[in-house]
Amino acid sequence: MSVSFVSCRETAEKAGEATEKAGEAMGEAADAAGEAIDEAADATGEAIENATDAAGEAAEGAMDKAGNAVDSAKEAGENAAEGVKDAAGAAVDKAKEAGADVKDAATDAADKAKEKAAEVKDVIKN
């Protein structure tokens, strides 16, 4: 009976040690799981922040490009208007020149007609 009593006590001590070790292992596993969850949460937060930053930068880039396109269109419109204005001015100048040429030609024709009339008058008198 004494052998069996010692053997049970050793078995109980071993079982207690095993239970203690199992408890420690479970605590370490829980700590590791907690750390993994914290790291995953941090990584998720960083990923969301990076995605938000990237989306913001993309939106800013799109806005800049849209602004540049509007500026380019405005400049092209201004250039076209300036071109039309220049062409209209040139047309007016050409019309003025043509009017002056017509006036000069009419004056020359009137002068020649006066000369011919004077010649005819002289011929009739004589």
Side-chain angles (χ1 to χ4, degrees), residues 33-44:
E35 288 177 17
I37 290 170
D38 288 344
E39 289 176 9
D42 289 344
T44 301

Side-chain angles (χ1 to χ4, degrees), residues 1 38 44 52 56 62 66 69 71 74 76 92 97 100 112 114 117-118 122 124-125:
M1 190 163 189
D38 288 344
T44 301
T52 302
D71 290 344
K74 180 181 174 185
V92 168
E97 288 176 16
K112 286 182 182 178
K114 285 181 188 177
D122 284 341
I124 292 177
K125 276 186 177 181

Side-chain angles (χ1 to χ4, degrees), residues 28-97:
E28 290 174 6
D31 289 344
E35 288 177 17
I37 290 170
D38 288 344
E39 289 176 9
D42 289 344
T44 301
E46 288 177 16
I48 289 170
E49 187 176 319
N50 290 341
T52 302
D53 290 346
E57 290 172 6
E60 287 176 13
M63 290 298 289
D64 288 344
K65 288 182 181 180
N68 290 343
V70 168
D71 290 344
S72 294
K74 180 181 174 185
E75 185 177 327
E78 289 171 353
N79 290 343
E82 191 66 32
V84 168
K85 182 179 170 185
D86 291 345
V92 168
D93 291 343
K94 292 289 183 184
K96 285 180 182 178
E97 288 176 16

